[in-house]
Amino acid sequence: MDGITSKFDKVLKASGEYGKVNHEPDSSKEQQRNTPQKSMPFSDQIGNYQRNKGIPNSAYENSQIYIVGSGIAGMAAAYYFIRDGHVPAKNITFLEQLHIDGGSLDGSGNAKDGYIIRGGREMDMTYENLWDIFQDIPALEMPPPYSVLDEYRLINDNDSNYSKARLIHNKGAIQDFSKFGLAKKDQLAIIKLLLKKKEDLDDLTIEDYFSEGFLSSNFWTFWRTMFAFENWHSLLELKLYMHRFLHAIDGLNDLSSLVFPKYNQYDTFITPLGKFLKEKGVNIQFKTLISDLDVHIDTEGKVVKGIITEHEGKKTTIPIGKDDYVIVTTGSMTEDTFYGDNKKAPVIGIDNTTSGQSAGWKLWKNLAAKSEVFGKPEKFCSNIEKSAWESVTLTCRPSALVEKLKTYSVNDPYSGKTVTGGIITITDSDWLMSFTCNRQPHFPGQPDDVLVLWVYALFMDKEGNHIKKVMPACTGDEILAELCYHLGIIEQLDNVIANTIVHTAFMPYITSMFMPRAKGDRPRVVPAGCKNLGLVGQFVETNNDVVFTMESSVRTARIAVYELLNLNKQVPDINPLQYDIRHLLKAAKTLNDQKPFLGEGLLRRVLKGTYFEHVLPAGEDEKEEKESFITEQIQKFNDWIKGIRG
């Protein structure tokens, strides 16, 4: 690769930075200061300047790349090996235990037998790594030169997302969802959490920290149902989420901060990305079980020497040479899924004594047994009562359910535009059931008179209000009955059942990445000492990003490639909107249900008529204030500071 940079040799050879890039800078520890020694962008300085092409230090014509798992993280790794590492695509091989690519980003079926989607994705405009890839992946339905990102923008720019029925209760009545309902002490608790250091939150749960008032507020209902948090989940992860999505907090109640794809997650992302990689020449070997890696460990480091596989009943070891690389997706949120239908409940074949034995978890456990740098998988797969929930896909012909859906919809469900705008939560459901109808058709080729709805519930260990069973014990028809009861159409249940195909999916580990954790429980993307191994997916450690997003999976893949190949390029930290005074002020007012926050009146007086007046959140002009205003505000501010320190 010397020829690429030969005209720059004098500068590069004299540089103390070249070849020593910090590939994963941390904005939570960086003081952004320009100095003579500062040549790279700030850690979270996003934008076009960061879109330079990576320049490899070596040529990789003879390197073989093996990627275990063909989910979005594995696919992203292949993309970055090709684009930034200049690795020939024909040298990249996926080893996939399933018969299909995509991992947890699934979506399949037909109108006759019913569609199924185990989950969906609530997308954000700040997913810098995800959009970095999909700005270059050819569009699914638009002609060249348009990309997946172009399609995504086209539909969301012209069809805004919002909900008009975010909460319902009392047999389907729309509930007021305009307020968060947080007491002052709970608002203060959120601010204190944002101020806390991450390392002080090891193994703490949300209910360890927050009051009962917070946990019963509208705010927590919005948050937990949108992101699938439980009270016993990681307080650290909740903190990271609050930083990551601070800019979206004023769209939390009506979901107006979200953007959704035209189709399901598989057809929107996996189909075009998979086609791109295959056309480049990437290989994929399905039905291949990876049980372990042969890792040589000595004082020089850790090197993968072989991949132990089983394919079509034959066990083999793939030798790994000195110039080869291995990428592994550790763990899986959707392994060991158990399915049901209209007439059958899912038969759950594992418990805590047998969990974590499937391929993805077993491979991670075998790695962890070799060195502590590979983390502690048992923290995430050993308590399925706290990491499981069940989702339900409804394939609906016209029925009373569809007619009821129309009363909650922003647009006609058959219009191709936003329908419910995200999940609708039934607040008096003992299961805490939510349902959604995204833009239709949800699958290419879906008939015009068919709708696909998705349902899930967080409190599966409780009996239903109408069906006196826990949710996993219910057939699809019984879940329909519970839903119809809460929608006030139980008398029309026979009509709904006759026109609805139900597929249920019980997922033991679906929120396992939210389980309480401490430093070292998750491995780094490139664990200490590893020379040719990168770990990607939802169970690896990054500096500030969250789990349960496509963005975090892509981020881990990008870090792995840049670090292993030592590219002269960084992966920018998360979007810095959490540091933007506009979003901080907006969040303060939003948490206070749009009532003025402490000191707002003073700020409005100071900034009124200036260039910076617009940084303040929208609000009515302040009324005439009494003469002692400033003194009162200063005293309140001092009290507030004392409260934070206390």
Side-chain angles (χ1 to χ4, degrees):
M1 306 299 287
D2 292 342
I4 295 177
T5 58
S6 59
K7 297 293 185 180
F8 299 83
D9 280 352
K10 288 184 179 180
V11 173
L12 298 182
K13 288 179 180 178
S15 170
E17 304 297 322
Y18 191 67
K20 299 177 182 178
V21 172
N22 175 11
H23 299 99
E24 189 188 3
D26 186 349
S27 63
S28 71
K29 292 182 170 58
E30 179 188 56
Q31 287 189 325
Q32 297 197 353
R33 181 166 172 260
N34 289 300
T35 68
Q37 294 75 36
K38 178 68 176 171
S39 60
M40 299 288 281
F42 296 127
S43 53
D44 54 4
Q45 188 171 324
I46 58 176
N48 289 332
Y49 192 72
Q50 294 277 35
R51 295 201 171 104
N52 59 303
K53 293 180 173 61
I55 302 174
N57 293 320
S58 304
Y60 298 101
E61 286 87 353
N62 299 316
S63 294
Q64 298 298 313
I65 312 294
Y66 293 95
I67 300 176
V68 180
S70 64
I72 187 64
M75 284 187 164
Y79 172 85
Y80 283 115
F81 271 120
I82 295 168
R83 192 193 77 176
D84 290 343
H86 299 185
V87 175
K90 63 182 177 61
N91 293 13
I92 300 174
T93 300
F94 283 99
L95 302 172
E96 172 58 60
Q97 64 168 317
L98 302 175
H99 68 285
I100 190 172
D101 55 4
S104 296
L105 292 183
D106 59 353
S108 61
N110 55 65
K112 179 178 178 292
D113 303 310
Y115 296 97
I116 184 165
I117 37 176
R118 286 183 291 185
R121 294 295 178 268
E122 297 164 330
M123 307 295 290
D124 189 88
M125 298 176 189
T126 65
Y127 288 176
E128 299 296 330
N129 296 287
L130 181 76
W131 303 130
D132 179 72
I133 286 184
F134 283 103
Q135 68 177 336
D136 291 330
I137 302 303
L140 183 70
E141 295 180 325
M142 293 172 69
Y146 295 103
S147 71
V148 171
L149 175 58
D150 295 325
E151 284 185 322
Y152 210 99
R153 288 293 305 270
L154 184 65
I155 195 162
N156 282 283
D157 290 355
N158 294 283
D159 179 30
S160 60
N161 188 82
Y162 65 96
S163 171
K164 74 172 195 180
R166 177 64 179 87
L167 304 178
I168 63 174
H169 66 157
N170 193 24
K171 305 297 191 298
I174 297 175
Q175 188 174 345
D176 179 17
F177 58 94
S178 61
K179 306 295 184 185
F180 282 178
L182 288 168
K184 287 289 191 294
K185 67 174 183 177
D186 295 319
Q187 296 176 44
L188 184 60
I190 292 174
I191 294 170
K192 286 183 175 180
L193 179 62
L194 291 171
L195 293 174
K196 285 184 179 294
K197 293 182 178 180
K198 292 178 288 186
E199 51 267 31
D200 295 337
L201 304 178
D202 283 359
D203 283 328
L204 289 177
T205 69
I206 293 163
E207 59 193 355
D208 286 337
Y209 178 81
F210 282 108
S211 70
E212 283 299 320
F214 173 88
L215 297 175
S216 61
S217 68
N218 269 3
F219 175 88
W220 186 233
T221 299
F222 296 141
W223 191 283
R224 73 184 313 171
T225 54
M226 178 176 170
F227 295 120
F229 273 92
E230 302 276 16
N231 293 358
W232 53 79
H233 281 155
S234 167
L235 181 64
L236 170 60
E237 191 62 33
L238 176 61
K239 172 184 169 63
L240 294 175
Y241 259 78
M242 286 182 169
H243 287 280
R244 185 72 171 82
F245 297 110
L246 182 77
H247 63 279
I249 197 167
D250 58 330
L252 186 62
N253 58 333
D254 65 4
L255 304 175
S256 58
S257 58
L258 300 179
V259 285
F260 286 98
K262 179 182 179 183
Y263 295 126
N264 65 85
Q265 57 196 1
Y266 186 88
D267 287 301
T268 298
F269 298 109
I270 298 302
T271 296
L273 179 54
K275 180 182 179 184
F276 172 86
L277 293 174
K278 289 166 190 171
E279 288 178 350
K280 286 287 186 181
V282 167
N283 310 291
I284 185 163
Q285 184 172 305
F286 292 115
K287 299 181 180 179
T288 302
L289 177 68
I290 310 302
S291 59
D292 202 358
L293 301 181
D294 177 12
V295 182
H296 178 72
I297 301 176
D298 59 20
T299 55
E300 298 297 315
K302 304 171 183 67
V303 179
V304 179
K305 296 288 189 178
I307 304 174
I308 301 167
T309 76
E310 183 177 331
H311 178 64
E312 295 180 347
K314 182 180 179 182
K315 292 185 177 181
T316 59
T317 298
I318 300 172
I320 301 299
K322 63 182 180 65
D323 297 321
D324 299 339
Y325 296 92
V326 178
I327 301 292
V328 172
T329 303
T330 53
S332 170
M333 68 175 80
T334 53
E335 281 202 23
D336 291 327
T337 300
F338 300 96
Y339 298 96
D341 57 30
N342 286 73
K343 305 303 178 186
K344 293 184 300 184
V347 179
I348 301 168
I350 63 171
D351 57 24
N352 287 338
T353 64
T354 55
S355 63
Q357 298 301 311
S358 51
W361 293 103
K362 195 70 175 177
L363 175 56
W364 185 12
K365 285 183 174 182
N366 286 337
L367 278 175
K370 303 178 196 303
S371 171
E372 63 181 10
V373 303
F374 294 120
K376 300 175 182 176
E378 65 277 2
K379 289 286 288 282
F380 304 96
C381 64
S382 301
N383 198 340
I384 61 176
E385 294 92 348
K386 293 188 174 181
S387 64
W389 43 256
E390 185 173 9
S391 73
V392 187
T393 310
L394 308 180
T395 303
C396 305
R397 298 281 182 182
S399 70
L401 175 58
V402 172
E403 291 305 307
K404 188 67 176 182
L405 175 71
K406 291 178 180 179
T407 67
Y408 304 130
S409 300
V410 175
N411 299 290
D412 186 300
Y414 300 102
S415 67
K417 300 179 70 176
T418 293
V419 185
T420 61
I423 59 170
I424 296 172
T425 295
I426 305 167
T427 58
D428 55 355
S429 162
D430 285 348
W431 289 349
L432 196 56
M433 180 187 282
S434 299
F435 64 96
T436 183
C437 182
N438 290 331
R439 293 185 182 102
Q440 302 292 313
H442 202 47
F443 289 82
Q446 180 180 319
D448 292 341
D449 65 339
V450 168
L451 300 178
V452 176
L453 279 64
W454 188 78
V455 182
Y456 95 112
L458 285 176
F459 299 163
M460 296 186 311
D461 59 332
K462 300 182 184 299
E463 289 186 350
N465 301 82
H466 179 69
I467 301 295
K468 300 301 182 181
K469 294 182 182 180
V470 296
M471 187 178 179
C474 291
T475 66
D477 286 349
E478 289 173 328
I479 292 172
L480 274 182
E482 186 73 11
L483 177 61
C484 288
Y485 169 79
H486 284 293
L487 296 182
I489 55 172
I490 190 65
E491 296 83 3
Q492 297 166 282
L493 177 61
D494 290 344
N495 168 263
V496 173
I497 289 176
N499 291 284
T500 309
I501 302 170
V502 183
H503 286 294
T504 59
F506 178 89
M507 295 168 282
Y509 315 113
I510 191 59
T511 56
S512 53
M513 55 279 176
F514 283 166
M515 294 298 285
R517 66 175 187 268
K519 185 177 180 180
D521 290 343
R522 303 190 307 185
R524 298 299 301 188
V525 174
V526 178
C530 287
K531 306 298 185 183
N532 63 347
L533 174 63
L535 307 179
V536 298
Q538 298 295 313
F539 298 92
V540 293
E541 196 69 44
T542 60
N543 291 330
N544 296 302
D545 214 343
V546 299
V547 296
F548 218 1
T549 67
M550 290 175 63
E551 168 70 359
S552 55
S553 288
V554 175
R555 176 181 295 278
T556 62
R558 197 175 184 185
I559 293 169
V561 174
Y562 287 15
E563 184 74 18
L564 289 173
L565 302 187
N566 194 23
L567 298 180
N568 65 318
K569 187 170 180 177
Q570 296 176 321
V571 179
D573 207 342
I574 64 172
N575 194 296
L577 292 177
Q578 62 171 314
Y579 302 116
D580 188 326
I581 187 65
R582 294 168 297 180
H583 291 288
L584 289 168
L585 294 174
K586 180 184 70 175
K589 189 155 189 172
T590 302
L591 289 174
N592 201 32
D593 283 333
Q594 303 308 318
K595 295 190 289 289
F597 56 81
L598 186 62
E600 181 179 340
L602 176 60
L603 280 173
R604 289 195 182 278
R605 285 189 167 196
V606 170
L607 297 179
K608 188 173 180 61
T610 73
Y611 178 83
F612 291 103
E613 184 176 10
H614 71 285
V615 306
L616 292 168
E620 298 178 1
D621 291 338
E622 298 296 307
K623 295 179 179 178
E624 190 67 32
E625 302 183 53
K626 47 189 174 182
E627 292 180 3
S628 60
F629 171 82
I630 294 179
T631 304
E632 290 176 0
Q633 294 301 315
I634 291 173
Q635 184 58 50
K636 288 180 180 179
F637 183 77
N638 288 334
D639 292 343
W640 180 70
I641 291 294
K642 289 177 182 177
I644 291 176
R645 290 174 175 170

